[in-house]
Amino acid sequence: MIISFQAKGGSISKTVQFVNCSHAAVVKVYRDWTNGTIVNNQWGSCGAPCATDVRGECWLQRWMKADLHDTVEQLTVKENLGVPDIYKYLKTVHFTNSAGIEVQFDESGDLHSDFDILNWIVHPNETLYSIKIGQYKPRSPHQLMLNETEIRWSPRFNQTPGSACSEICLSGTRKSPRESLSSCCYDCVPCPDGEISNHTDMDTCFKCSENEWPNELKNMCIPKIIVYLSYEEPLGKSLALVSVILFLFNCLVMIAFIKYKNTPVVKANNQDLSYILLVSLKLCFLSTLIFIGHPVQVTCLLRQMFFGIIFSIAISSILAKTITVIIAFNVTRPESKLNHLIGSKLPNYIVLLCTLFQIVICSVWLATFPPFPNYNMEDEVGKILAECNEGSIAGLYCVLGYMGFLAIVSFMIAFLARDLPDIFNEAKFITFSMLVFCSVWISFIPCYLSSKRKYAVAVEIFAIIASSSGLLGFIFIPKCYIILFKPELNNKANVLKSHMTNYV
């Protein structure tokens, strides 16, 4: 093309503008051609080899002679040609280049010839030297093949210059196109929560599976942390330790009652009921350990049922003790009609009947909507909450409601009997213990509903420990004080003297 243009009378400056090459390259090609290094027929003269008919050849030659400032539209007017005519002639161009490769356009105007990619090096003396650094093959699956190691850059560059206006987006980020700019201009934005990108320059991030979560760099998915109230964490350790200490303290109280079982303090208000109450309180303290640890099917089924039944035994025992106080005071009156209840099994029947009713409630709950272990992946981001699904929240409220009913009845009866004249009258202590018990469980409901995850379990454990401690402390600690530190009050003579004083 350069030689053809020069042959048609074009100057070097116009040749540079026309072929879009550097001035040095045009001078070198023209010098080689004039010295005979390049034969004219190697480059062609845009004559017969370049066109398929005479009209196209003539038109191309007249174009070469035309003023370079003329546009294609101006040329078409001068030559009385339309744009479709120009396209028709250009589309039918068919020739063989100097390397013997056939050059032609297809129906769409695409060039299917292979191209060598050359790296031209301009030396200080303005000499040119070319290095083949790759090929472009339109018909090949890998169209562009480039050997970057062969590229010779100017000393001004210490690495391959980038063609994009943005830096590479690292893994953990994605490309976000900038508005009104080309596609190579973008910002790197972090992947949203729950998504990752594990390669550079990714257009989109992809989500992790349900049981996985991105790491801090958001370039890989890692298993989610399973969260539950465990013995390894401080909260679980503290609650378990308090439960065990109170259990051991309960054991010491029971040992004291067994050792002094023949004293008036222990015999007062039905000795058997005291033992039943102490054993049930022991089990209440131990029941909290079922709530700690990874939830499984067995623990989910047992913990609410066990806790509900054991507490029903404890409260029904207190109710029976309160009724025993009332019966014991009234039989001392000659006109009392309760004499036949002394020594009867009525207290034991009360405990049995109240406990059986709670067992029925728990059995219906288990038969209809039993609790089961559940993995909650929605409430907390990046974590799996291992918890016991209660199956039916109505079942839990029925268990708690029945316990509350027994506690209120015991509180009312004890409150009415608190002023009965008896040196070992337990009604006052039962009143305070039931007041504490009811206060704890009334406060428990809003706290339980507003807590989540393992803290809801911790709230229930605290309610069990606090209510059990209230029963143990208000009912048995005063008796232990008399047994251990006031033995002079724990004898039959003092009891008879107190009775005589009360009836004078």
Side-chain angles (χ1 to χ4, degrees), residues 192-210:
D193 291 338
E195 298 183 5
I196 67 164
S197 63
N198 52 6
H199 297 290
T200 58
D201 279 341
M202 291 190 67
D203 295 323
T204 57
C205 302
F206 58 90
K207 290 186 177 182
C208 296
S209 60
E210 284 190 353

Side-chain angles (χ1 to χ4, degrees), residues 145-268:
M145 292 176 288
L146 194 65
N147 186 2
E148 293 190 13
T149 59
E150 296 292 333
I151 299 176
R152 299 293 183 267
W153 295 106
S154 170
R156 292 177 297 172
F157 301 105
N158 54 11
Q159 61 182 5
T160 303
S163 61
C165 61
S166 302
E167 296 294 332
I168 296 176
C169 289
L170 302 177
S171 56
T173 62
R174 64 174 178 84
K175 295 192 291 185
S176 177
R178 297 176 184 173
E179 295 183 2
S180 70
L181 293 177
S182 62
S183 59
C184 65
C185 295
Y186 49 82
D187 295 318
C188 298
V189 297
C191 290
D193 291 338
E195 298 183 5
I196 67 164
S197 63
N198 52 6
H199 297 290
T200 58
D201 279 341
M202 291 190 67
D203 295 323
T204 57
C205 302
F206 58 90
K207 290 186 177 182
C208 296
S209 60
E210 284 190 353
N211 60 345
E212 291 182 327
W213 189 254
N215 60 353
E216 292 183 1
L217 299 178
K218 293 186 177 181
N219 58 4
M220 66 180 297
C221 294
I222 57 176
K224 288 183 178 180
I225 300 173
I226 300 178
V227 178
Y228 57 90
L229 186 62
S230 65
Y231 289 100
E232 286 74 21
E233 60 181 305
L235 181 60
K237 287 180 180 179
S238 302
L239 293 173
L241 181 62
V242 171
S243 298
V244 172
I245 291 174
L246 291 173
F247 169 78
L248 296 176
F249 181 75
N250 196 328
C251 291
L252 294 176
V253 172
M254 193 166 186
I255 291 173
F257 268 61
I258 293 174
K259 183 177 181 180
Y260 298 96
K261 62 182 178 180
N262 295 321
T263 60
V265 171
V266 178
K267 289 183 177 180

Side-chain angles (χ1 to χ4, degrees), residues 65-79:
K65 296 177 181 179
D67 191 344
L68 292 177
H69 295 288
D70 289 344
T71 63
V72 174
E73 288 79 3
Q74 292 171 334
L75 289 172
T76 56
V77 172
K78 290 180 181 180
E79 303 298 332

Side-chain angles (χ1 to χ4, degrees), residues 14-64:
K14 288 187 176 181
T15 304
V16 170
Q17 295 177 14
F18 183 77
V19 300
N20 194 23
C21 294
S22 66
H23 183 276
V26 172
V27 171
K28 174 66 169 61
V29 172
Y30 182 68
R31 184 187 301 119
D32 290 342
W33 177 70
T34 54
N35 294 335
T37 306
I38 300 176
V39 183
N40 185 36
N41 58 11
Q42 284 185 286
W43 295 88
S45 59
C46 286
C50 299
T52 58
D53 55 22
V54 176
R55 187 179 182 186
E57 177 186 354
C58 294
W59 182 85
L60 290 173
Q61 290 177 356
R62 285 194 292 273
W63 190 12
M64 298 296 295

